[in-house]
Amino acid sequence: MHDVFEFLIALASILFFAKIFGEIALKLGQSAIIGELLAGVLIGPSILGFVHETPVLTSISELGAVILLFEVGLSTDIKEFLKAGGWATAVAFIGVVVPYFLGYFVFLHFGLSSTQAIFAGAVLTATSVGITARVFMDLKKLETKEAKIVLGAAVIDDVIGLAILAVVLKLVQGGTVTFGTVASISGTAVLFLVLSVAAGILIAPTLFKFVSKMKQEHIIFVMGIAFCFVFSAFATKVGLASIVGSFVAGLVLSTTNQSEEIRRDIKPLYAFFVPVFFVLMGTNVDISAFNPFVAANREILILVAVLFVVAFIGKAVAGFVVLKKGINKFLIGVSMVPRGEVGLIFAGIGFKNNVFGSNEYSALVAVIMLTTFITPIILKYLLSKQNENG
């Protein structure tokens, strides 16, 4: 009974503070994400301690990420998305290779082991499509060419990054890494994306035409969510993040006649689950690690500063591979900067496998959180300037 009480109070605190701080952020002209992340810092273990991450809250948070990317997929025109495929692939490739090697060399320069450097590079390859997608969505910019390239690149980036992570993890755990291993992992990821989109486009219209004839209330919405969960589940089965599956499910359902109804009905679910995801991310920040007056923190702070610079530059340069006229290249690059939930997952795996000590782990988490906090502010400014010039 006591556990139920604590869970309900924690969930109530998350929702209350998410909405209050989100509103304050909007009043100050920022994205609600900033408010939700700051709410997490305030009520998390770092300051007030109202909320501590638990398996149940983590599951609700992950569901929030799944619903967020499902909604993004639903809001994406698949034809326009596929048109952006070539440039998205180029952005994703550069956005993985450059941060990987920069992170690797920074860790080596600070006297850390080659294994730690290899894993740190893998952590910096991550891109959190959730953060960027929410900013584009809040500002009603999901239909722009830049947004389509970024969303495509973020999904491809996730596939490449997770393939790298699987290979690096195998190396850390003492397994042998061969060209065959790399090809197998990467091939599985690409095959999942191609087959799930193709199969989904063939099946979904007929399936939802049949569902639309049913008389139960909200039946189309419920079946749409079920469709999303199935895709997410199969994504995890082939070693990809569940959010890749939910995005693909949304992308597929955007081709059906029922997509608008699903988008309309998902809004209350979105309003409940998605803020939990961002607040929980904020609770991971330990602000005591940023205190420069504690001597033990200074080396970590220097490492954080250098890693943040290379983490930002490593993704920002990726936008400049897009050679199309009329495209804001810097906007695309900056959109790839936040590491968010994907980066935290990567760092957590490294910590659990004893690759990182607490100091290295803290430094990586700090960089992930900095990229997560700062990027929405820069993006909002860039998109506002684009409106003024457009």
Side-chain angles (χ1 to χ4, degrees), residues 42-371:
L42 178 69
I43 65 178
S46 186
I47 301 179
L48 296 178
F50 289 173
V51 175
H52 296 265
E53 197 164 347
T54 66
V56 178
L57 285 176
T58 300
S59 296
I60 293 173
S61 168
E62 287 170 359
L63 201 53
V66 165
I67 289 166
L68 169 61
L69 268 296
F70 179 55
E71 218 280 348
V72 170
L74 279 169
S75 304
T76 304
D77 184 327
I78 194 166
K79 290 176 184 174
E80 292 297 318
F81 176 78
L82 293 173
K83 276 184 197 172
W87 292 120
T89 303
V91 169
F93 182 75
I94 298 299
V96 165
V97 172
V98 177
Y100 180 87
F101 284 106
L102 287 176
Y104 173 81
F105 287 118
V106 166
F107 253 55
L108 282 185
H109 180 74
F110 275 80
L112 299 160
S113 72
S114 58
T115 302
Q116 288 175 319
I118 288 169
F119 217 105
V123 171
L124 292 190
T125 63
T127 288
S128 173
V129 64
I131 304 288
T132 297
R134 174 71 180 272
V135 175
F136 278 116
M137 193 177 292
D138 284 353
L139 296 174
K140 297 180 170 52
K141 294 290 182 182
L142 271 179
E143 296 305 313
T144 62
K145 291 175 184 175
E146 288 88 352
K148 290 182 174 70
I149 291 173
V150 167
L151 292 173
V155 172
I156 296 162
D157 180 291
D158 201 26
V159 173
I160 299 170
L162 285 160
I164 289 172
L165 180 69
V167 172
V168 169
L169 194 55
K170 195 171 180 65
L171 179 65
V172 167
Q173 292 171 340
T176 53
V177 177
T178 63
F179 175 77
T181 310
V182 177
S184 173
I185 294 166
S186 306
T188 301
V190 172
L191 196 62
F192 169 79
L193 286 173
V194 173
L195 289 180
S196 56
V197 170
I201 289 173
L202 286 172
I203 296 166
T206 305
L207 174 64
F208 280 84
K209 186 179 178 182
F210 171 75
V211 168
S212 66
K213 293 176 182 176
M214 296 182 179
K215 303 298 182 187
Q216 295 177 74
E217 219 174 353
H218 304 297
I219 186 70
I220 292 171
F221 161 67
V222 172
M223 290 299 190
I225 288 292
F227 190 85
C228 164
F229 290 167
V230 167
F231 271 62
S232 296
F234 276 107
T236 63
K237 273 292 181 187
V238 298
L240 298 177
S242 58
I243 55 175
V244 174
S246 63
F247 177 79
V248 170
L251 203 60
V252 166
L253 291 187
S254 72
T255 65
T256 67
N257 294 329
Q258 294 75 29
S259 62
E260 284 302 316
E261 185 175 341
I262 298 169
R263 280 181 65 191
R264 185 191 67 229
D265 287 353
I266 204 173
K267 290 188 186 301
L269 206 62
Y270 181 100
F272 175 83
F273 283 100
V274 175
V276 176
F277 166 61
F278 287 108
V279 171
L280 256 271
M281 284 180 63
T283 64
N284 289 305
V285 178
D286 179 5
I287 61 167
S288 66
F290 295 90
N291 185 354
F293 299 106
V294 177
N297 287 346
R298 287 171 194 165
E299 190 175 344
I300 297 172
L301 286 170
I302 294 168
L303 177 59
V304 167
V306 176
L307 279 175
F308 173 71
V309 170
V310 301
F312 192 93
I313 292 171
K315 291 290 186 182
V317 298
F320 290 89
V321 302
V322 181
L323 303 177
K324 283 178 77 173
K325 288 184 179 178
I327 294 286
N328 189 329
K329 299 172 178 60
F330 187 58
L331 174 62
I332 290 171
V334 170
S335 299
M336 299 293 288
V337 167
R339 272 42 175 203
E341 77 288 354
V342 183
L344 288 170
I345 290 165
F346 280 27
I349 291 170
F351 187 65
K352 286 174 187 171
N353 284 273
N354 300 314
V355 178
F356 303 127
S358 59
N359 283 353
E360 297 81 33
Y361 175 71
S362 296
L364 284 167
V365 169
V367 171
I368 292 163
M369 297 314 299
L370 280 170
T371 61

